[in-house]
Amino acid sequence: MSITSYEQVEQQINTLGGKPTVLEALWDGDTQGWYLCLSVYIKKNILGGETSHYLGTVTFGGDIRLFTGEVPSWPEAALAKEIGKRAEEKYGLTFYFPSPDDPDDDCPRWTERHLAISCADCNKLIIPTTSEYLPKDICYHCHLEREWNEKIKTEKPCDDGVTFFLYKEGIYQNNGYCSYFDSFTVAPYIKDIVESRKSNELVSLVEITTDEIRDLYIKLRKDVKPLLDNYKKPEIDPKMSKFKPIDKKAYDGTIYELEMKFNDEHRKISNFMYSIETAEKALNEEKIFVFSFKNGMTYRDDTMLRFINYVSKGSASVEAICKRYEKILNEQEVMDTIEKLKRAGCLKTDGTMITLTDLAKRII
Ligand SMILES: [Zn+2]
């Protein structure tokens, strides 16, 4: 059962009868993301022990939010806290929610608390991990945080990642991202041009002109031809269609069915068609290609830009930045990073605020 309100919980508790003693909220996860499982512990009579009753899950679905900003928010936790607070007031029970800030499926159930330890970093109750690769005294979340902080502290390089834009009159339209430039289908055709134009700056934007896109378009169409000449329509058992998704693409008046998951040739054709479409779109709309590269960027630089952009909505005071990194960096290190990013054109001072520039938006 999906729980979306306190009233649902209250109704279930009343149906169960007896005295509710504990309301428990524990995280669990699957391929769709994290959700919270709610259970209530009930005492039927003075002498009897508590019995646990599962109530349902609180879920808002999808882990996409993990990739959209630095700090994901968990509306599930907010709703569970609200439900817990009202249940405490109504029944005088204990609301047991051992990980209210972040998802964690290593927390003990109410009845397993004697097996748990407190995380050395955040104090949360956890059942110690059995993995030999993970520290035993901290929770998984704090382990990841320690690793992340270490990358920031030691200025680990963070130059991977190239974004591909279509550009016209000051407007950049995101058209794709790859960890490495060579992964773009168009890379072999424009690699020399890109290499000759790439600068040594922290951020470098490389433009591909209209004439070059026209040239690229002709070459792509020429090279996709032998692939299409050898094209074989996929034979797929209808029962398997769920596992082998088919993309239908029109090209020069013919429809091609492309099996994307297990067929390398089909995937190659699809990538070519997409690149040809992109070039065609750019030529029709008089846009050029722009690729953004990083050179000399560190995790420290990257996280600061993301903090200012996503958490502080584009501008932050020096104090707020220092506060964000107070456990990881000293004030001098923060100031040096701000200076480095200013010199590179990624940040500027706007009164008392540090503001992200358009250039920085091309790389985060
Ligand atoms: Zn912890």
Side-chain angles (χ1 to χ4, degrees):
M1 158 159 195
S2 177
I3 294 173
T4 53
S5 71
Y6 167 73
E7 284 72 23
Q8 283 170 287
V9 170
E10 185 179 309
Q11 202 197 344
Q12 285 200 71
I13 292 176
N14 292 344
T15 308
L16 286 164
K19 181 173 169 46
T21 52
V22 177
L23 180 65
E24 173 187 85
L26 291 176
W27 291 100
D28 203 353
D30 59 21
T31 53
Q32 300 298 308
W34 289 101
Y35 50 89
L36 276 168
C37 298
L38 297 193
S39 299
V40 66
Y41 289 77
I42 302 259
K43 222 174 193 170
K44 287 279 182 189
N45 55 58
I46 297 279
L47 297 170
E50 291 166 336
T51 49
S52 155
H53 301 268
Y54 176 70
L55 299 175
T57 58
V58 179
T59 176
F60 288 82
D63 265 356
I64 188 84
R65 59 197 148 183
L66 284 180
F67 308 105
T68 55
E70 202 191 37
V71 181
S73 66
W74 298 102
E76 292 87 351
L79 178 58
K81 279 182 217 170
E82 164 74 19
I83 291 171
K85 189 168 161 274
R86 291 183 63 182
E88 276 178 334
E89 284 163 9
K90 163 107 189 184
Y91 299 104
L93 52 66
T94 302
F95 177 49
Y96 174 66
F97 188 9
S99 186
D101 298 324
D102 304 283
D104 190 329
D105 56 6
D106 289 327
C107 293
R109 297 209 61 177
W110 172 253
T111 46
E112 292 174 334
R113 282 168 301 143
H114 60 288
L115 303 173
I117 58 165
S118 291
C119 167
D121 284 6
C122 75
N123 214 25
K124 176 167 71 189
L125 280 180
I126 47 165
I127 302 284
T129 173
T130 49
S131 164
E132 55 181 307
Y133 305 106
L134 295 170
K136 304 255 184 277
D137 61 329
I138 54 174
C139 71
Y140 188 63
H141 178 81
C142 288
H143 164 65
L144 292 182
E145 189 157 304
R146 276 193 196 179
E147 279 195 337
W148 180 245
N149 289 351
E150 197 56 28
K151 282 181 179 172
I152 295 172
K153 231 179 262 179
T154 57
E155 297 189 88
K156 203 168 175 290
C158 177
D159 278 336
D160 290 350
V162 179
T163 311
F164 174 12
F165 300 94
L166 294 183
Y167 172 82
K168 185 183 183 178
E169 292 164 0
I171 298 185
Y172 288 85
Q173 185 185 350
N174 192 320
N175 194 65
Y177 170 92
C178 287
S179 293
Y180 305 100
F181 176 69
D182 286 345
S183 306
F184 288 104
T185 306
V186 296
Y189 299 90
I190 52 174
K191 199 176 169 69
D192 292 345
I193 303 174
V194 166
E195 283 305 323
S196 69
R197 285 180 197 160
K198 224 160 89 178
S199 76
N200 292 325
E201 306 284 317
L202 197 63
V203 181
S204 115
L205 301 181
V206 173
E207 298 185 351
I208 306 294
T209 66
T210 299
D211 283 344
E212 288 157 351
I213 296 171
R214 197 171 292 118
D215 193 36
L216 167 71
Y217 174 74
I218 292 165
K219 286 178 180 159
L220 287 168
R221 281 187 61 92
K222 182 169 163 279
D223 287 356
V224 78
K225 194 163 181 312
L227 297 174
L228 294 178
D229 289 344
N230 287 322
Y231 164 80
K232 284 186 199 67
K233 199 178 159 178
E235 288 171 25
I236 288 181
D237 181 347
K239 275 181 239 152
M240 291 294 287
S241 63
K242 199 172 142 199
F243 306 103
K244 292 189 172 181
I246 298 286
D247 253 16
K248 282 190 186 169
K249 285 212 166 179
Y251 185 78
D252 282 355
T254 307
I255 305 279
Y256 294 89
E257 290 182 19
L258 301 170
E259 199 273 287
M260 300 298 289
K261 233 175 184 170
F262 303 103
N263 190 322
D264 288 343
E265 285 303 302
H266 282 192
R267 212 163 32 226
K268 214 167 151 185
I269 291 174
S270 172
N271 289 340
F272 261 98
M273 286 181 177
Y274 180 69
S275 299
I276 291 166
E277 273 170 27
T278 304
E280 208 168 5
K281 182 177 153 76
L283 293 169
N284 287 339
E285 297 175 9
E286 295 174 343
K287 289 172 179 165
I288 61 166
F289 288 1
V290 176
F291 292 89
S292 73
F293 293 89
K294 298 182 275 180
N295 179 39
M297 188 75 78
T298 66
Y299 277 90
R300 189 184 292 185
D301 306 328
D302 187 67
T303 176
M304 207 170 280
L305 293 177
R306 283 171 197 277
F307 170 72
I308 296 170
N309 190 47
Y310 295 111
V311 182
S312 306
K313 310 278 180 245
S315 65
S317 65
V318 173
E319 290 72 32
I321 301 171
C322 286
K323 178 109 186 67
R324 164 64 182 85
Y325 296 104
E326 65 185 351
K327 286 181 190 148
I328 316 166
L329 303 174
N330 64 39
E331 214 174 301
Q332 191 57 48
E333 288 169 324
V334 171
M335 294 311 292
D336 289 347
T337 310
I338 292 173
E339 278 312 310
K340 174 184 173 184
L341 291 168
K342 267 197 204 165
R343 277 196 306 276
C346 293
L347 293 177
K348 59 178 192 280
T349 305
D350 207 350
T352 58
M353 301 297 269
I354 304 295
T355 302
L356 205 77
T357 64
D358 282 341
L359 184 66
K361 288 178 188 158
R362 305 283 82 84
I363 51 156
I364 56 169

